[in-house]
Amino acid sequence: MKNIFAIIFSLLIGQSIFGQKTPISYVSIEKVKDSSANPWVIDNRISQITLTSKNEFEFRSFPIPSSCLTWREYKGTWERKNDTLIFSEQYEIVENDARFAFSNKRQNEYYHLEFKTDKKSKLTEKHIEIQFVYDFDSDFKDVKLNMELDNDFSLKIPFNQIPNRKSLASIRFEYFLSNGEKRYGYITENQTVNVKEKELPNYIGITLIEKPKKEIIYRITKALLTENKIKIISKEKSNSDLPDYTEEIEFKEIYENESEK
């Protein structure tokens, strides 16, 4: 009987900590900062933590100022150990569709693009879609063209056929392999595809990856639960062999049980 009472008591204690059945939402009690001084600064930190069931959660971000296009949502599982909440989630990263080799040839009248695959498989499709991507500050709209590769699966794009070439930041291509799988990429040496930092070299070797590698990244966030408030205390994620450009999750200082406010 003592064991039964102990179990019932522990369950009641657990309910008293949460104060209600799931779902339970915790929202940031941090005041929204006045963004009028710098309207370009967007706060991407998590705004709401919701325990949607006894073992599932959602992190939600509602940046202000922003549109719904910038809202973010992360889902996973959670567990509680004493006064610590452990949030677990995962996401996939994939190897880039293509690798590039850049050089400048003596001639400088056109861009010379040469295509091949990493497995040296035969290319058959001649059609390719090309898009000229311009520097963001230039206000030029991107230009999209349907073009044909030469018999050796190369492409020459004369400089005089590229509108506003002085503002060209990158060249985007879209191409289909012989098995029907699409490959695309941005040809650039800039850090950002639509920000021009330097001139694009006039020779580009493009190696299309036939079977891009994939990896699963596991991410764990720990939080302290006290007096119906949540405070994030640590974040960690697994290592990867592939470049991981996924945006990090950032949190605010304190989240308070919404039903208690």
Side-chain angles (χ1 to χ4, degrees):
M1 287 294 292
K2 289 184 178 180
N3 290 336
I4 294 176
F5 284 123
I7 293 172
I8 294 175
F9 179 75
S10 64
L11 290 173
L12 290 174
I13 291 296
Q15 287 183 347
S16 67
I17 289 177
F18 293 110
Q20 65 187 72
K21 296 180 179 180
T22 55
I24 309 174
S25 290
Y26 294 82
V27 296
S28 171
I29 61 176
E30 182 177 314
K31 293 182 179 180
V32 177
K33 296 179 180 179
D34 182 11
S35 62
S36 59
N38 191 350
W40 296 106
V41 175
I42 297 178
D43 188 352
N44 289 312
R45 293 177 298 170
I46 296 300
S47 308
Q48 182 178 3
I49 297 174
T50 301
L51 308 181
T52 55
S53 72
K54 65 179 181 179
N55 60 3
E56 296 177 323
F57 75 87
E58 288 181 355
F59 293 155
R60 291 184 177 181
S61 171
F62 308 107
I64 300 175
S66 71
S67 70
C68 60
L69 296 176
T70 63
W71 293 358
R72 297 289 182 268
E73 184 178 277
Y74 308 89
K75 296 182 179 182
T77 59
W78 68 276
E79 61 177 320
R80 189 176 101 235
K81 292 184 177 180
N82 298 322
D83 59 355
T84 302
L85 300 181
I86 303 172
F87 301 97
S88 303
E89 41 140 356
Q90 64 185 57
Y91 61 89
E92 184 180 74
I93 57 175
V94 182
E95 183 181 13
N96 289 335
D97 280 357
R99 303 189 191 112
F100 305 101
F102 299 98
S103 64
N104 278 306
K105 304 295 184 180
R106 287 186 178 181
Q107 58 78 20
N108 58 358
E109 298 177 354
Y110 55 82
Y111 291 115
H112 187 185
L113 282 56
E114 290 189 350
F115 291 86
K116 63 180 181 179
T117 78
D118 62 328
K119 304 296 184 182
K120 303 188 184 303
S121 296
K122 184 178 180 181
L123 299 176
T124 57
E125 178 61 56
K126 292 292 189 67
H127 175 77
I128 188 169
E129 185 178 278
I130 294 293
Q131 182 175 343
F132 302 130
V133 180
Y134 296 101
D135 186 273
F136 178 80
D137 292 331
S138 70
D139 291 328
F140 293 131
K141 292 184 178 179
D142 296 347
V143 176
K144 187 179 294 186
L145 297 175
N146 291 312
M147 306 184 77
E148 295 290 321
L149 298 176
D150 293 334
N151 291 332
D152 61 353
F153 295 94
S154 67
L155 179 67
K156 294 182 178 64
I157 308 176
F159 291 165
N160 59 15
Q161 292 185 14
I162 303 176
N164 307 301
R165 192 178 72 86
K166 289 185 178 181
S167 297
L168 183 69
S170 63
I171 299 175
R172 183 186 187 276
F173 69 87
E174 188 171 299
Y175 179 78
F176 285 90
L177 297 176
S178 303
N179 60 9
E181 292 185 359
K182 181 171 69 174
R183 294 292 181 267
Y184 70 92
Y186 289 87
I187 303 171
T188 184
E189 287 192 294
N190 301 321
Q191 295 297 317
T192 307
V193 297
N194 65 341
V195 176
K196 182 173 182 177
E197 299 169 358
K198 53 186 173 182
E199 291 292 336
L200 187 67
N202 58 16
Y203 170 81
I204 303 103
I206 302 164
T207 302
L208 304 173
I209 309 303
E210 294 190 41
K211 293 183 178 181
K213 297 177 182 178
K214 299 179 181 181
E215 288 188 33
I216 299 296
I217 303 300
Y218 299 94
R219 187 157 48 187
I220 294 177
T221 303
K222 293 183 180 181
L224 193 64
L225 176 65
T226 55
E227 299 180 353
N228 267 332
K229 294 180 182 180
I230 287 179
K231 180 178 181 179
I232 303 299
I233 56 176
S234 69
K235 299 183 300 178
E236 62 181 74
K237 65 179 181 180
S238 58
N239 296 324
S240 63
D241 294 326
L242 297 175
D244 183 3
Y245 303 109
T246 305
E247 184 179 11
E248 295 289 340
I249 299 180
E250 298 296 337
F251 294 89
K252 299 184 181 181
E253 185 68 22
I254 298 292
Y255 298 85
E256 188 176 80
N257 189 329
E258 197 169 32
S259 65
E260 301 294 326
K261 295 181 68 176

